[in-house]
Amino acid sequence: MASPDALRGHVDAMLLAVLSAGPVHGYGAVERIRERSGGVLDFPSGTVYPALKRLERRGLIEGEWETGGRSKRVYRLTSAGLAALETERSDWTTTASLITSVLGAARG
């Protein structure tokens, strides 16, 4: 399992990715990450909700209160968020490839 330190800095990108599947409330985003990671990643609300607020302040997502029963804030990706997600995916592919090259290199 990846260490929490290795995941730090990637929470925003993971949230953008799960929001690309459609609008969802905060706990639903946590569930999507848990499902996509095969149950390995289970972020606490103290990690997810500040990240959602940060993404909203940056204009990458929009939140709206949904009523009917218990009120919950539902988040959706903006066009700027979709562009940021594509950049994150590209950056991640490059970074992962580079690290794999270094870690997989033969000693010598």
Side-chain angles (χ1 to χ4, degrees):
M1 180 168 95
S3 74
D5 287 339
L7 297 174
R8 195 167 291 131
H10 300 290
V11 173
D12 290 6
M14 287 186 272
L15 287 169
L16 291 174
V18 298
L19 285 169
S20 72
V24 70
H25 53 84
Y27 183 73
V30 170
E31 288 178 331
R32 285 181 183 176
I33 290 171
R34 187 180 312 121
E35 288 170 11
R36 287 187 181 191
S37 70
V40 174
L41 300 177
D42 189 13
F43 293 120
S45 59
T47 296
V48 172
Y49 287 101
L52 289 168
K53 289 181 186 292
R54 184 171 52 249
L55 292 169
E56 191 172 16
R57 278 193 309 272
R58 291 176 56 202
L60 303 179
I61 65 173
E62 293 175 335
E64 169 175 43
W65 287 104
E66 185 177 89
T67 55
R70 288 180 39 186
S71 295
K72 47 187 151 180
R73 194 150 177 85
V74 175
Y75 298 92
R76 66 184 36 81
L77 206 56
T78 63
S79 57
L82 185 57
L85 175 58
E86 291 309 314
T87 298
E88 289 284 351
R89 285 179 171 152
S90 176
D91 290 351
W92 176 254
T93 299
T94 301
T95 301
S97 177
L98 176 63
I99 291 172
T100 299
S101 295
V102 172
L103 292 178
R107 293 182 185 195

